[in-house]
Amino acid sequence: MKKAFITGITGQDGAYLAKLLLDKGYEVHGGVRRISQPELPRLEQLGVAGDVHLHEFDLTEMNNVFRVIRDVEMDEFYNLAAQSFVGASWDLPIYTADVDGMAVVRILDTLRSVRPETRFYQASTSEMFGLVQEVPQKETTRLYPRSPYGVAKVYGHYITMNYRESFGMHASSGILFNHESPLRGKEFVTRKITLGLAKLAHGGSDPIELGNMDAQRDWGFAGDYVEGMWRMLQQPQADDYVLATNVTTSIRDFFTYAAEAVGMDLAWEGEGEAETATDRKTGRQVMKVNPKFYRPAEVELLIGDASKAREKLGWEPRVQIRELAAMMAKSDYDALR
Ligand code: NAP
Ligand code: F7E
């Protein structure tokens, strides 16, 4: 039986990856932060909370990292933990640099000393492309991060490559474009929209307040993307791979698809801060712009080319954007009912 350790097992991807690995017969271990009221809602929602071995773990604490690597004796180490909210990274730039950047070398250097044969996965991100230098973006596209989050992840990405090249470690980096699900954190725009729509569809009256409606993202389904992570670690050679759908969608269009799934028919009016959306069926306003959600520097367009993952890993995204929006909207609608 193979053993895997997942940092960030309580997060969206951690929960889906834990389920995938358990289904494949792995013994799954994960790191959880010490909090006053321990809860595992995502693992519970996927029905696997009782099947994983949990260890108290914080990426900022060097001794945690050392002890876990010494004691768990894992074959595969998936580093999914991060301060993952781009918007918060301008308020927490130093913390974000530590958790999303420096922590990666804490893990790699401990693995190098204690268990160099362990296969390592680093959660890199399309945010590293930022102000995109090529369309679509692929593994060789020049990086131009636009947030403290993106900058920290660039360090994590390059130090992973560096440990692979310097010490021959099986260390791979997945450059994943946005991926969502009903387990997505509530502050990310897709889930904020689907939760807000569910409240409105059940009689709520507050329009959903959003920032930049023109930003475009390449959105896939998290369940598909964790399969790609696992495939990377099964290759004879470690490498870096983009996972993406090659379809880009604006925030406005995602909103429209999700609204359709809960029976709304939207009329869009105005531009910039004056933009609104109204449900033609009820006459109610369902969206208004609030500039407080604008970012100091924006990533306007992301669209990925996952040809390398398709050819070398046999990986394909299965869920398309309209289906994803409907899946999330219906899940929130049903949960509120
Ligand atoms: P998520 O839902 O926000 O989960 C983040 C996880 O990291 C949580 O389990 C969180 O624990 C843990 N964590 C945060 N700070 C920590 C610390 N100091 N020590 C230990 N654990 C800590 O994120 P996700 O969407 O699953 O993303 C997984 C990874 O992929 C992240 O590294 C993210 O940056 C990256 N990524 C995500 C996407 C995407 O679209 N989802 C795309 C590309 C890359 P708590 O539960 O205690 O908060
Ligand atoms: O923003 C715009 C916002 O916060 C998407 C993380 O998983 O994916 C995620 O980062 C877009 C941005 O995700 C609101 O300005 C408008 O252009 O959902 P998001 P993100 O920043 O793309 C990458 C790949 C990661 O690696 C990250 O960990 O939507 N937007 N109005 C808004 N965004 C939010 N959150 N809230 C709004 O009200």
Side-chain angles (χ1 to χ4, degrees), residues 10 40 51 71 76 82 107 115 126 130-131 157 179 187 193 236 244 253 260 264 308 319 323:
T10 55
L40 304 168
D51 302 329
D71 297 345
E76 297 173 10
I107 298 168
R115 286 190 63 76
S126 51
L131 186 63
H157 183 66
H179 45 280
E187 72 272 59
I193 291 169
D253 286 346
E260 282 168 7
M264 294 182 190
K308 181 174 167 186
V319 178
E323 196 188 333

Side-chain angles (χ1 to χ4, degrees), residues 102-135:
M102 290 300 286
V104 185
V105 76
R106 279 185 201 117
I107 298 168
L108 283 166
D109 208 56
T110 309
L111 285 173
R112 171 191 163 209
S113 306
V114 180
R115 286 190 63 76
E117 68 281 14
T118 304
R119 295 187 171 198
F120 175 78
Y121 174 84
Q122 168 59 15
S124 287
T125 166
S126 51
E127 280 295 302
M128 300 189 308
F129 297 123
L131 186 63
V132 298
Q133 302 293 298
E134 189 180 14
V135 178

Side-chain angles (χ1 to χ4, degrees), residues 14 81 99 111 135 153 167 169 171 184 220-221 223 225 305 334:
V99 173
L111 285 173
V135 178
K153 284 283 186 178
F167 304 114
M169 289 172 64
R184 185 57 143 150
F221 171 53
Y225 286 52
D305 174 356
D334 290 346

Side-chain angles (χ1 to χ4, degrees), residues 98-323:
D98 191 34
V99 173
D100 298 9
M102 290 300 286
V104 185
V105 76
R106 279 185 201 117
I107 298 168
L108 283 166
D109 208 56
T110 309
L111 285 173
R112 171 191 163 209
S113 306
V114 180
R115 286 190 63 76
E117 68 281 14
T118 304
R119 295 187 171 198
F120 175 78
Y121 174 84
Q122 168 59 15
S124 287
T125 166
S126 51
E127 280 295 302
M128 300 189 308
F129 297 123
L131 186 63
V132 298
Q133 302 293 298
E134 189 180 14
V135 178
Q137 298 85 51
K138 50 184 190 280
E139 293 79 4
T140 51
T141 300
R142 190 158 77 80
L143 306 180
Y144 195 136
R146 293 274 278 173
S147 63
Y149 169 82
V151 173
K153 284 283 186 178
V154 168
Y155 177 82
H157 183 66
Y158 281 131
I159 200 71
T160 300
M161 283 173 67
N162 181 260
Y163 268 58
R164 178 170 77 223
E165 292 171 5
S166 304
F167 304 114
M169 289 172 64
H170 197 293
S172 294
S173 188
I175 308 173
L176 271 50
F177 283 61
N178 299 53
H179 45 280
E180 320 289 309
S181 74
L183 304 186
R184 185 57 143 150
K186 292 175 186 169
E187 72 272 59
F188 297 97
V189 76
T190 53
R191 187 76 197 288
K192 183 173 169 183
I193 291 169
T194 60
L195 264 176
L197 286 170
K199 288 180 192 157
L200 285 159
H202 284 298
S205 57
D206 296 336
I208 304 165
E209 295 189 8
L210 297 174
N212 179 6
M213 299 301 290
D214 295 318
Q216 291 174 266
R217 289 290 182 276
D218 180 330
W219 277 300
F221 171 53
D224 291 344
Y225 286 52
V226 297
E227 168 82 26
M229 296 176 189
W230 175 77
R231 288 187 185 215
M232 288 178 212
L233 295 209
Q234 310 318 305
Q235 300 309 301
Q237 303 295 331
D239 206 342
D240 305 322
Y241 297 91
V242 160
L243 300 185
T245 68
N246 197 227
V247 173
T248 194
T249 306
S250 67
I251 312 299
R252 186 178 302 104
D253 286 346
F254 180 91
F255 196 118
T256 302
Y257 302 151
E260 282 168 7
V262 292
M264 294 182 190
D265 174 21
L266 299 190
W268 292 90
E269 278 177 57
E271 280 179 23
E273 289 181 30
E275 183 166 8
T276 60
T278 305
D279 180 12
R280 289 192 183 92
K281 292 185 180 165
T282 60
R284 276 186 316 176
Q285 185 180 342
V286 295
M287 194 288 299
K288 71 175 187 187
V289 171
N290 184 339
K292 100 172 174 199
F293 295 111
Y294 291 158
R295 292 178 176 176
E298 180 60 282
V299 174
E300 293 290 353
L301 167 72
L302 289 173
I303 177 165
D305 174 356
S307 307
K308 181 174 167 186
R310 194 169 53 244
E311 283 155 25
K312 298 209 166 159
L313 307 177
W315 178 83
E316 290 279 359
R318 283 176 290 231
V319 178
Q320 310 303 321
I321 183 66
R322 278 173 181 271
E323 196 188 333

